[in-house]
Amino acid sequence: MKPVTLKQIAETLGISITTVSKALKDYPDVSKKTKALVKDLAQTLNYKPNAFAVNLRTRESKTIGLIIPEIVHHFFSSVIKGIISQAEKKGYLVIILQSNESYKLEKKQIELLLSKQVDGILISLANATADFNHLNDIIAQEKPLVMFDKIAKIVNCSKVIIDDRKAAYNATQHLIDTGCKRIAHFRGPLLPQNSIDRFLGYKKALIDNNIFYDPSLVYICNEMTFQEGEKFAKQLLIEHKDIDGIFINTDLVAIGAIKELNKSGIKIPEEISVVGFSNWFMSSAITPSLTTIDQPGFEMGKMAFKQLYKELKAIKKGKEVKLKTIELETALVKRNSTKTII
């Protein structure tokens, strides 16, 4: 069956299309009786407004694009929930795309979203992204762009972040406070800003506590996988038998490391203490449970959409768009993979 049109409703009731349209929108210059007749017939005929026509009139698609590196990652799944929780309240549909940490795919996805006339874009950058022209294309089209978690500082847009350097400093300081003196770091890839900042936070904590920074204790996890955690823990035990602490860039890698340490007969935390990052739900389920940095994914998603929505409203009203960098608080969650501070 073809969709019911305003014209059909108007002809059935013997009134103008304009009157039908106004009645459905509750205009005050249409009588209550006419409104009731129009709405009853519209419901009977299962009339649905033409979304495409509405979009042309309002110049809004009521859709936003969301690009994330990984959907299955606990942190990003929490971010998605936060974004959708706010988008639904404002009547927005969220198109979710996964870049798989690929710059080329991320670039292609932005081109696709722009061709689909989304109203704005939320993005956490792929690890491989080093060129930002595709992000500047969004801004050039006067569409709001909000970056979160993995960002590019030089792109002129709003951002929702945590202080990765401070959080990593606190994680490393906790290891030092519990007696660790030889602390390794399983870091992320060289490129993403959050990976850089977590490494710098680790290094600064060592220096501030007069602990020699040894670059051979830093292992680069390019894929950030469970398997890399196993691999580098095994390698660490061979290369550095005097290690007594490890700060690890993300919980998934940390859980892999704990598995390998357990397999090798290492007592955690008596011989080696471990701190992760993100507070993944599995962190409290493994043995020993993982001390970690709680990264507020759901709140980050909420704030990212709220900022995007503010910018969408400003553009619609012809007002100046005020860009913001919103920094959320993190917290150290102490569990059994680290010793108690005496």
Side-chain angles (χ1 to χ4, degrees), residues 10 24 74 94-95 100 108 113 124 130 142 157 176 192 213 236 279 294 303 312 317 332:
L24 291 171
H74 168 70
V94 183
I95 300 173
N100 292 327
K108 186 177 179 181
L113 291 172
S124 181
E142 297 184 343
C157 68
I176 295 167
Y213 163 66
L236 183 69
N279 200 21
D294 182 49
M303 296 306 296
L312 286 168
K317 293 177 181 178
L332 179 70

Side-chain angles (χ1 to χ4, degrees), residues 209-222:
N209 286 275
N210 298 312
I211 296 174
F212 173 69
Y213 163 66
D214 182 352
S216 72
L217 298 181
V218 178
Y219 295 78
I220 300 172
C221 302
N222 287 308

Side-chain angles (χ1 to χ4, degrees), residues 50-63 119:
N50 185 322
F52 182 71
V54 172
N55 293 344
L56 283 177
R57 279 199 310 275
T58 62
R59 295 183 181 178
E60 289 181 298
S61 68
K62 299 299 283 187
T63 60
D119 295 332

Side-chain angles (χ1 to χ4, degrees), residues 17-282:
I17 294 173
T18 301
T19 302
V20 172
S21 177
K22 284 185 172 183
L24 291 171
K25 294 173 184 172
D26 274 326
Y27 273 59
D29 58 342
V30 179
S31 69
K32 290 183 179 179
K33 182 181 177 181
T34 300
K35 285 180 185 177
L37 287 169
V38 170
K39 289 178 181 179
D40 286 347
L41 183 58
Q43 187 173 3
T44 301
L45 298 176
N46 195 29
Y47 167 75
K48 303 290 182 187
N50 185 322
F52 182 71
V54 172
N55 293 344
L56 283 177
R57 279 199 310 275
T58 62
R59 295 183 181 178
E60 289 181 298
S61 68
K62 299 299 283 187
T63 60
I64 61 166
L66 168 61
I67 301 176
I68 57 173
E70 287 184 280
I71 290 175
V72 295
H73 194 289
H74 168 70
F75 169 71
F76 288 116
S77 65
S78 297
V79 171
I80 291 170
K81 288 176 184 176
I83 290 168
I84 291 175
S85 74
Q86 299 304 303
E88 286 183 340
K89 291 178 184 178
K90 301 298 183 182
Y92 279 84
L93 177 71
V94 183
I95 300 173
I96 305 169
L97 300 172
Q98 178 174 295
S99 67
N100 292 327
E101 301 288 8
S102 164
Y103 161 71
K104 286 185 179 179
L105 183 55
E106 179 182 281
K107 185 172 180 286
K108 186 177 179 181
Q109 288 171 342
I110 283 178
E111 290 169 358
L112 173 66
L113 291 172
L114 290 175
S115 73
K116 296 295 182 185
Q117 297 296 310
V118 296
D119 295 332
I121 294 176
L122 300 166
I123 188 168
S124 181
L125 295 179
N127 286 340
T129 299
D131 181 275
F132 308 120
N133 286 332
H134 60 310
L135 302 173
N136 291 322
D137 286 343
I138 302 169
I139 298 165
Q141 292 194 27
E142 297 184 343
K143 291 186 183 289
L145 168 68
V146 177
M147 306 175 79
F148 61 91
D149 187 44
K150 293 195 283 186
I151 65 161
K153 290 182 178 179
I154 64 172
V155 176
N156 189 34
C157 68
S158 291
K159 302 168 181 78
V160 183
I161 58 171
I162 61 169
D163 189 335
D164 284 285
R165 198 174 301 195
K166 178 183 174 183
Y169 184 100
N170 291 340
T172 309
Q173 186 65 52
H174 175 65
L175 288 169
I176 295 167
D177 290 342
T178 55
C180 297
K181 300 185 184 304
R182 284 282 283 169
I183 302 169
H185 178 39
F186 294 1
R187 61 162 292 166
L190 295 175
L191 204 53
Q193 189 64 51
N194 63 354
S195 177
I196 295 168
D197 286 340
R198 289 176 198 179
F199 162 70
L200 292 174
Y202 153 80
K203 185 176 179 180
K204 188 173 190 303
L206 296 181
I207 293 169
D208 285 355
N209 286 275
N210 298 312
I211 296 174
F212 173 69
Y213 163 66
D214 182 352
S216 72
L217 298 181
V218 178
Y219 295 78
I220 300 172
C221 302
N222 287 308
E223 304 298 328
M224 302 293 290
T225 62
F226 176 89
Q227 290 77 17
E228 282 179 315
E230 291 181 296
K231 171 188 168 184
F232 289 126
K234 188 173 184 178
Q235 189 174 331
L236 183 69
L237 292 175
I238 295 169
E239 296 175 348
H240 300 281
K241 298 185 185 297
D242 57 345
I243 280 297
D244 55 10
I246 318 172
F247 166 52
I248 302 180
N249 188 281
T250 192
D251 286 357
L252 183 59
V253 178
I255 290 169
I258 285 176
K259 182 189 173 187
E260 181 59 36
L261 294 175
N262 284 335
K263 182 181 172 184
S264 300
I266 300 296
K267 294 177 183 178
I268 308 171
E270 292 83 0
E271 294 179 272
I272 297 180
S273 294
V274 181
V275 177
F277 203 111
S278 78
N279 200 21
W280 186 30
F281 73 94
M282 281 298 292

